[in-house]
Amino acid sequence: MARDPVSEVLDLVDARCVITGGLRAGGQWWHRSRPGAAVKIDAVVSGSCRLIADDRAPLLLGPGDAAVLCGVDTAVLCSDPGPDPQAGPHMDQEPTRETGFFSRIGAGEPEVVVIGGHVELDPASADLFTSALPPVLHAPAADAEAAGMRRLLERIVEENDTDRAGARFAADQYAQLLLLEALRTVLRHEAAAPPGWLRLLTDPRLRPAVRLMHADPGRAWQLPELAAAAHMSRSHFARRFAHVSGQPPLTYLSHWRVRLAQRALRTSDTTVAALAQQLGYASESSFSHAFTRVTGTSPSRYRRGAAPRNGPRPGGPPQD
């Protein structure tokens, strides 16, 4: 099966959703945190709560709802923010560890169960992922993939609540699918995302042209054949592409080639000359010039300075 562009981008940025913990809360409660990662995810397994991201209006999350936060400084989960959300700091409560996976805040009914985590990204290409997301992405349980998301949440909790062989591995795989389902929400609602690759792939008329570029990035694609694949005139195609993606079609192609080159330079010993040929450049010099124009450094210098992704996978409460 041919790989689709979304899968290619997720692979390129090495996106990995890591569930760090769960929260059980009851009664009146309020918990503020500062996300330690650029992209954070909270999902409600049962019950309901409010999410306040920075100074935005409270977002009601119900069973099966998920929220992806991108570049948010402060996040609050609470039972009820009241008429003035800013009046809540006096209610801040620290969760207490209940089990190895779950922490608890408050007592009484109604009870809400939330799981939280973050998305780990390759630092060298993380901006490609984060630039395509809105600050708050709400994936509601009423959406098309609602049943699938609820099943994933239940399985994540089930795996983390047991000591079965491979439980952590299984939970991680379900977390990956949970992230994908949340991103598919953006793919169905074009206006939810800023201009970028993710919004580009919400456009059914532009997708055929994007698939061509991703399938054969080394080909010398020309605007007329890309427009023909989209069944649009050249001028209309160029305007629409730039509006949706934030850049002209051939600029997008050039930047995608450079992204592929960056990964190859970090992870393989492919020569610069071979990369130039694979990616459709007439010479090593023309490739180096294009690479430097996009990244600010030459391919050789980039390779010398590229560091492998490292560091342990963090844990902790879901709001960390």
Side-chain angles (χ1 to χ4, degrees):
M1 180 185 296
R3 298 198 69 196
D4 65 278
V6 171
S7 296
E8 289 179 324
V9 172
L10 293 177
D11 181 60
L12 182 69
V13 302
D14 199 11
R16 183 172 65 189
C17 185
V18 179
I19 300 300
T20 54
L23 178 70
R24 288 191 173 104
Q28 295 296 311
W29 58 279
W30 177 289
H31 180 65
R32 183 192 308 272
S33 66
R34 292 187 176 278
V39 182
K40 185 182 185 301
I41 185 167
D42 284 309
V44 177
V45 181
S46 61
S48 63
C49 65
R50 269 74 172 179
L51 168 68
I52 305 172
D54 291 336
D55 57 354
R56 292 172 177 82
L59 174 65
L60 176 63
L61 299 177
D65 283 2
V68 180
L69 308 180
C70 182
V72 168
D73 291 327
T74 303
V76 171
L77 288 173
C78 61
S79 55
D80 186 352
D84 181 7
Q86 300 305 317
H90 68 281
M91 298 171 58
D92 276 1
Q93 298 165 280
E94 287 300 319
T96 58
R97 182 65 67 181
E98 187 178 58
T99 67
F101 179 71
F102 277 102
S103 298
R104 174 170 286 281
I105 290 182
E109 299 293 338
E111 182 176 79
V112 59
V113 177
V114 184
I115 62 172
H118 60 267
V119 180
E120 291 185 351
L121 301 165
D122 184 340
S125 51
D127 65 297
L128 176 64
F129 186 85
T130 57
S131 65
L133 294 179
V136 180
L137 165 62
H138 180 205
D143 224 43
E145 275 83 17
M149 288 186 69
R150 281 196 298 272
R151 285 194 297 269
L152 289 170
L153 291 170
E154 291 166 359
R155 293 305 300 269
I156 289 170
V157 171
E158 178 184 340
E159 294 293 344
N160 280 287
D161 265 352
T162 68
D163 59 357
R164 292 187 296 180
R168 180 57 187 264
F169 179 83
D172 286 349
Q173 309 317 305
Y174 293 134
Q176 289 294 88
L177 294 175
L178 180 65
L179 172 64
L180 178 60
E181 297 292 10
L183 292 178
R184 283 173 171 167
T185 297
V186 180
L187 296 178
R188 289 190 305 277
H189 304 290
E190 177 182 347
W197 63 268
L198 195 55
R199 184 173 171 187
L200 177 63
L201 297 176
T202 68
D203 194 314
R205 297 195 63 186
L206 295 177
R207 275 200 299 266
V210 178
R211 284 182 179 272
L212 288 179
M213 289 187 279
H214 279 244
D216 191 1
R219 178 171 169 174
W221 293 105
Q222 299 297 318
L223 195 59
E225 56 188 331
L226 293 174
H231 303 288
M232 300 165 70
S233 69
R234 283 187 299 173
S235 58
H236 187 196
F237 172 76
R239 284 195 303 271
R240 184 165 180 152
F241 197 105
H243 173 73
V244 171
S245 74
Q247 53 191 184
L250 298 185
T251 301
Y252 174 89
L253 175 61
S254 177
H255 284 206
W256 179 247
R257 287 171 171 170
V258 169
R259 296 282 187 180
L260 295 175
Q262 286 177 300
R263 178 175 60 180
L265 291 168
R266 293 194 308 272
T267 61
S268 75
D269 57 1
T270 305
T271 66
V272 174
L275 270 179
Q277 183 177 21
Q278 291 170 16
L279 294 174
Y281 291 91
S283 66
E284 181 178 342
S285 175
S286 61
F287 166 66
S288 295
H289 178 73
F291 189 96
T292 303
R293 185 174 64 249
V294 173
T295 67
T297 188
S298 69
S300 298
R301 182 170 296 177
Y302 178 86
R303 166 171 274 164
R304 288 195 299 269
R309 182 179 176 186
N310 51 35
R313 288 167 47 161
Q319 283 69 48
D320 287 349

